[in-house]
C-alpha cells in the first residue's frame, strides 16, 4: 500500500520564478492538505483540497495556489518566489471524515536564491 | 484561535533513560483532536497517536505513553527506556472539529537527542 508521495524531492529556484510541487495521496484517501515548514519551525497550514475544491485556507498570500485532480492528486503552485518561501513543503492526505488522521509525504525541499 | 505550545526546544538524554515531552494547547472548542508526530532527519512526519477531547484515558503503546489532562490543557508524551532510534523532532498538533478534516495547528517541535 503506497503512502503519500511527493515530487520533486529538492528544487532550487531564483526570486521571481514560479514553482509547481506535486503530491499523490495515500491509496483510498480523497483529501489533500499542504503545509509549509520553515527551518526550525513547526509546519504551517497552507490549504486543503477536497473534491477538486479548496476547502480551507491558512494565512498565506494569493501567490500560493493549488489544484486537485479527479484522481485526488494535487499540485501546489507558488508564483513570484521570495527568499522567504524557502522551506520544506509537506503534503498530507486523509479521508474526508471528522478530523481524520493526516498522513504526510516526505516533502519537497524548496530553496529560493 | 487555536495554539499549541511546546516549551522545551531541545532535550538530550542517555540511552535507556525515560524522557517526557510536554505539550500545552489552547482552544475555544469543546470538541477537538490532539496528535503527536515524529520527524526523523529524513523529514517525513510520522504519525504516532490521535486522541479526541472526550477520551482522557492515558494510552500506552510499547515504550510510548501519552498523558492527556483537560484540566491543564496538556497532552504529554513519555518515552520509556529511550533508544538512539528515538532521536528526532517531535511535534504536538491540534485539530478543532469545526468541520470535516480541519487543519492541524502544530507546536514548534522538540528536538530529542538520545546518546548511546
Amino acid at each position: 500500500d503506497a503512502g503519500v508521495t511527493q515530487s520533486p524531492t529538492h528544487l532550487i529556484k531564483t526570486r521571481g520564478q514560479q514553482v509547481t510541487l506535486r503530491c499523490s495521496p495515500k491509496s483510498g484517501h480523497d483529501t489533500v492538505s499542504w503545509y509549509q515548514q520553515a527551518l526550525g519551525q513547526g509546519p504551517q497550514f497552507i490549504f486543503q483540497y477536497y473534491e477538486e475544491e479548496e476547502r480551507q485556507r491558512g494565512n498565506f498570500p494569493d501567490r500560493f495556489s493549488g489544484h486537485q485532480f479527479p484522481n485526488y492528486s494535487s499540485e501546489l503552485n507558488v508564483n513570484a518566489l521570495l527568499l522567504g518561501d524557502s522551506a520544506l513543503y509537506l503534503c498530507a492526505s486523509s479521508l474526508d471524515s471528522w478530523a481524520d488522521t493526516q498522513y504526510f509525504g516526505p516533502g519537497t525541499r524548496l530553496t529560493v536564491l | 484561535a487555536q495554539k499549541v505550545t511546546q516549551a522545551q526546544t531541545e532535550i538530550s538524554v542517555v540511552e535507556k533513560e525515560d524522557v517526557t515531552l510536554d505539550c500545552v494547547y489552547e482552544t475555544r472548542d469543546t470538541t477537538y483532536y490532539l496528535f503527536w508526530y515524529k520527524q526523523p532527519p529524513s523529514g517525513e512526519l510520522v504519525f504516532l497517536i490521535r486522541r479526541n477531547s472526550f477520551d482522557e484515558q492515558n494510552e500506552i503503546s510499547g515504550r510510548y505513553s501519552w498523558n492527556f489532562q483537560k484540566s491543564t490543557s496538556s497532552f504529554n508524551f513519555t518515552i520509556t527506556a529511550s533508544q538512539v532510534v528515538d532521536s528526532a523532532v517531535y511535534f504536538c498538533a491540534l485539530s478543532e472539529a469545526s468541520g470535516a478534516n480541519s487543519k492541524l495547528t502544530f507546536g514548534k517541535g522538540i528536538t530529542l537527542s538520545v546518546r548511546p
Side-chain angles (χ1 to χ4, degrees), chain A residues 33-47:
Chain A
S33 303
W34 286 92
Y35 293 81
Q36 180 196 66
Q37 185 179 17
L39 202 60
Q41 301 295 315
Q44 298 289 316
F45 175 75
I46 303 175
F47 43 52

Side-chain angles (χ1 to χ4, degrees), chain A residues 31 35 37 40-43 45 48 55-56 88 90 94-106, chain B residues 31 33 35 37 39 42-45 47 50 54 91 95 97-104 106-109:
Chain A
T31 302
Y35 293 81
Q37 185 179 17
Q41 301 295 315
F45 175 75
Q48 184 181 88
R55 178 159 65 182
Q56 290 186 74
L88 179 67
L90 294 162
S94 52
L95 282 171
D96 181 45
S97 63
W98 195 43
D100 187 51
T101 298
Q102 296 184 23
Y103 293 89
F104 286 80
Chain B
T31 304
Y33 280 81
F35 301 79
Y37 286 86
Q39 188 174 43
S42 61
E44 182 171 345
L45 282 168
F47 165 74
R50 178 179 86 149
F54 298 113
F91 291 97
S95 175
S98 59
N101 239 310
S102 292
K103 67 176 184 180
L104 290 171
F106 287 85
K108 291 188 175 181

Side-chain angles (χ1 to χ4, degrees), chain B residues 31-87:
Chain B
T31 304
Y32 51 88
Y33 280 81
L34 295 163
F35 301 79
W36 277 93
Y37 286 86
K38 173 182 179 180
Q39 188 174 43
S42 61
E44 182 171 345
L45 282 168
V46 177
F47 165 74
L48 296 177
I49 189 171
R50 178 179 86 149
R51 298 304 297 237
N52 74 56
S53 53
F54 298 113
D55 184 1
E56 288 192 71
Q57 276 195 331
N58 292 333
E59 180 152 341
I60 298 174
S61 176
R63 297 183 298 107
Y64 295 171
S65 62
W66 291 269
N67 179 260
F68 176 27
Q69 293 197 351
K70 284 179 79 170
S71 61
T72 56
S73 297
S74 65
F75 185 44
N76 297 336
F77 172 29
T78 297
I79 301 174
T80 302
S82 59
Q83 299 177 1
V84 172
V85 293
D86 295 327
S87 296

Side-chain angles (χ1 to χ4, degrees), chain A residues 42-62:
Chain A
Q44 298 289 316
F45 175 75
I46 303 175
F47 43 52
Q48 184 181 88
Y49 276 84
Y50 170 69
E51 289 191 341
E52 303 179 50
E53 298 272 336
E54 182 184 289
R55 178 159 65 182
Q56 290 186 74
R57 189 178 182 90
N59 190 25
F60 279 81
D62 292 344

